[in-house]
Amino acid sequence: MFPPVVRTGAGPDTPVGPHGAGARRGPFRAGERVQLTDEKARMSTITLTPGGAFHTHKGYLQHDALIGADEGSIHTNTSGQLYQALRPLLSDFVLSMPRGAAVVYPKDAGQIVTMADIYPGARVVEAGVGSGALSISLLRAVGDAGSLHSFERREEFADIARGNVETIFGGPHPAWRITLGDFQDQVVQHEEPGSVDRVVLDMLAPWECLDAVATVLAAGGVWISYVATVTQLSRTAEAIRADGRFTEPEGWESMVRGWHLEGLAVRPDHRMVAHTGFLLTTRRLADGAVGFTPKRRPSKTGFSQEDLDAWTPQAVGEREVSDKRLRRVARDAASTIQRGSLPPEEAQARRDALAEGGSIE
């Protein structure tokens, strides 16, 4: 008996169209999420409720003033504070949505969609749903006519992801379904061999899924993995090479640095979104084909005396430190460390020993 397949979309007779697009256009509606930004660029996200109000220490703003207003309008609260009202972008929603597991950051989700070539109508399988951040980006890419089959081991994570997906799309997405259970066991039960266009794995041990991925992925299909550590990246790449059914893997990471823009004060921000994870891609070869590692110019495995001489301190520009300077620095260090921690006579005796070129125990 297989774990249940949770279908989150509508039935086969559901008309194909840009699901959720209607909720992104027109005036604000009751029940919709709205992002308010004040004059100090502080952002708050609220859900519009008839009769509700957004309160701060500087007054409040009635929700009824926003319901029916155009997106991008400016509103004033009871104390004269100005707010601009906009619908949250996907990146805003992902970073503020309820989460049970760490989310895939927008910078990585964008890389996954582009570098894995997720296209409208594609059949995609995903493992490690987490909080649904990546699922949202994948659903936007495959569209209503595509298919995203997500696999998640923990039911509570699946529930959180389902809630977030339905929030941003305004209801169940017709292209999405979730299966509870281990990916490598379940995907071969629910997907036909060679029927999947793209595989996206966000999990601890992607190398354990080699056979399952090779079974369901079509020839030429892309497999992309998102991993957190160097050891995961290395082990996954070596497993792919050893398997022989895939092309040479490629790995990378992306970093995003914002810029401060104010008049002539244009400079990089002091903070940036640096390492979040590594991405690794490979493609399925045709049945019977055996992968190979691209030939590279062989590197030297040994070192000559000339090589060793080239890496002396003097050769690389290091200044030689005299013995006299070393003794002076040692005296300073001894004086600093021992000051106040030893009787004066003992401290002076140690300093004298150092001054004469001796040592202290």
Side-chain angles (χ1 to χ4, degrees), residues 182-360:
D182 290 327
F183 173 82
Q184 56 266 43
D185 297 330
Q186 296 302 315
V187 70
V188 294
Q189 302 291 339
H190 296 287
E191 299 292 340
E192 295 293 329
S195 64
V196 173
D197 300 309
R198 304 290 184 260
V199 174
V200 182
L201 300 186
D202 175 14
M203 58 196 308
L204 290 175
W207 56 86
E208 296 179 352
C209 302
L210 267 167
D211 285 336
V213 173
T215 298
V216 301
L217 190 59
V222 179
W223 169 17
I224 186 165
S225 290
Y226 178 77
V227 294
T229 68
V230 171
T231 51
Q232 289 173 297
L233 179 68
S234 175
R235 186 166 179 181
T236 305
E238 293 306 319
I240 289 171
R241 288 193 181 103
D243 183 81
R245 289 175 286 184
F246 298 90
T247 61
E248 176 71 3
E250 298 181 5
W252 74 96
E253 65 175 334
S254 63
M255 289 175 275
V256 175
R257 182 175 69 178
W259 280 67
H260 174 84
L261 304 173
E262 187 176 347
L264 296 178
V266 179
R267 54 166 175 75
D269 283 339
H270 297 306
R271 295 183 179 183
M272 65 179 292
V273 181
H275 175 75
T276 50
F278 297 103
L279 292 170
L280 184 144
T281 58
T282 185
R283 301 185 71 177
R284 179 70 159 93
L285 295 172
D287 289 337
V290 178
F292 56 84
T293 301
K295 295 181 179 180
R296 297 183 176 90
R297 178 180 296 178
S299 60
K300 293 182 179 180
T301 58
F303 301 95
S304 65
Q305 187 60 44
E306 183 180 358
D307 295 325
L308 296 175
D309 292 341
W311 290 97
T312 61
Q314 293 77 17
V316 297
E318 267 191 31
R319 288 186 177 182
E320 186 175 358
V321 182
S322 67
D323 293 340
K324 181 179 179 180
R325 175 174 174 77
L326 289 175
R327 287 196 296 271
R328 184 172 70 249
V329 174
R331 286 198 305 271
D332 293 342
S335 176
T336 301
I337 295 172
Q338 294 165 10
R339 186 178 297 125
S341 62
L342 291 174
E345 297 82 4
E346 184 176 349
Q348 185 60 49
R350 294 194 174 204
R351 287 194 289 271
D352 291 343
L354 287 172
E356 295 172 0
S359 60
I360 59 176

Side-chain angles (χ1 to χ4, degrees), residues 63-80:
H63 287 198
D64 290 338
L66 295 167
I67 297 174
D70 290 332
E71 184 174 9
S73 54
I74 306 296
H75 299 266
T76 306
N77 73 357
T78 54
S79 64

